[in-house]
């Protein structure tokens, strides 16, 4: 189940949360008040275990067309990371470093889950995004993403540019102070 935890940016993994909720309405409201779009969509399509990016994009062609019609995202790709992916550790390390993008970061989770962490002003918002979650992070928002030690997700990524994922790393080690995916899941259990 999706979950949003908000903490003070000056805090760390031991700091009490200002808010913790799995209520989709609360999550959408809290994120919207900070300029982040969040929706929960139906995911009636069960992808085959070995579905490649082309098959994933074809399966979700209707949803892709709907997003592109409303936001003008020229490029869409599918990323799938499983626990046996040969580059899982390298990708996790790269995504865990706080960064920004010159464009919105828009994702739709078609399988599994991942942890989006947004550094907005004096807060860190950690969103456990799961199957059916759509998130639109505004351009320039410092954030990081945790795939987990044993990643298990598939997401559609929407871009305004033809280059795909292009990050500007901030050099701020803030991500090291906050819970990782596994820690957040254990705390919610």
């Amino acid at each position: 189940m999706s979950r949003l935890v908000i903490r003070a940016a000056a805090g760390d993994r031991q700091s009490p949360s200002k808010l913790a909720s799995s209520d989709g309405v609360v999550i959408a409201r809290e994120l919207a008040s900070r300029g982040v779009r969040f929706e929960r969509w139906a995911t009636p399509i069960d992808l085959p275990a070995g579905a490649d990016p082309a098959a994933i994009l074809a399966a979700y062609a209707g949803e892709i067309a709907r997003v592109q019609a409303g936001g003008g995202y020229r490029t869409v790709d599918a990323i799938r990371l499983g626990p046996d992916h040969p580059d899982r550790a390298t990708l996790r390390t790269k995504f865990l470093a706080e960064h920004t993008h010159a464009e919105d970061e828009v994702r739709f989770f078609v399988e599994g889950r991942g942890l989006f962490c947004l550094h907005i002003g004096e807060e860190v918002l950690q969103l456990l995004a799961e199957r059916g979650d759509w998130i639109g992070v505004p351009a320039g928002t410092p954030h990081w993403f945790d795939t987990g030690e044993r990643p298990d997700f598939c997401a559609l990524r929407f871009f305004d540019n033809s280059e795909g994922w292009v990050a500007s790393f901030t050099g701020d080690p803030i991500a090291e102070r906050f819970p990782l995916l596994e820690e957040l899941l254990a705390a919610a259990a």
Side-chain angles (χ1 to χ4, degrees), residues 77-96:
D77 72 11
I79 183 170
R80 173 179 253 162
L81 271 137
D84 298 326
H85 192 285
D87 297 324
R88 69 184 178 280
T90 301
L91 289 169
R92 185 182 196 197
T93 298
K94 179 170 79 170
F95 295 150
L96 272 173

Side-chain angles (χ1 to χ4, degrees), residues 32-78:
S33 73
R34 292 158 178 90
V36 178
R37 296 169 291 159
F38 175 82
E39 299 175 17
R40 285 192 169 156
W41 292 359
T43 53
I45 302 164
D46 288 323
L47 298 168
D52 66 6
I56 296 163
L57 294 172
Y60 282 91
E63 288 78 2
I64 291 167
R66 182 167 45 119
V67 171
Q68 286 181 318
Y73 301 103
R74 297 181 298 179
T75 305
V76 181
D77 72 11

Side-chain angles (χ1 to χ4, degrees), residues 135-183:
I135 184 171
V137 179
T141 303
H143 66 281
W144 59 94
F145 180 74
D146 187 11
T147 63
E149 287 182 12
R150 296 186 46 76
D152 183 21
F153 74 91
C154 177
L156 300 179
R157 305 187 304 176
F158 296 83
F159 302 101
D160 287 329
N161 68 61
S162 58
E163 298 162 14
W165 194 86
V166 178
S168 296
F169 294 93
T170 68
D172 187 335
I174 188 170
E176 297 169 9
R177 297 196 328 260
F178 287 87
L180 297 171
L181 176 63
E182 292 82 9
E183 293 171 279

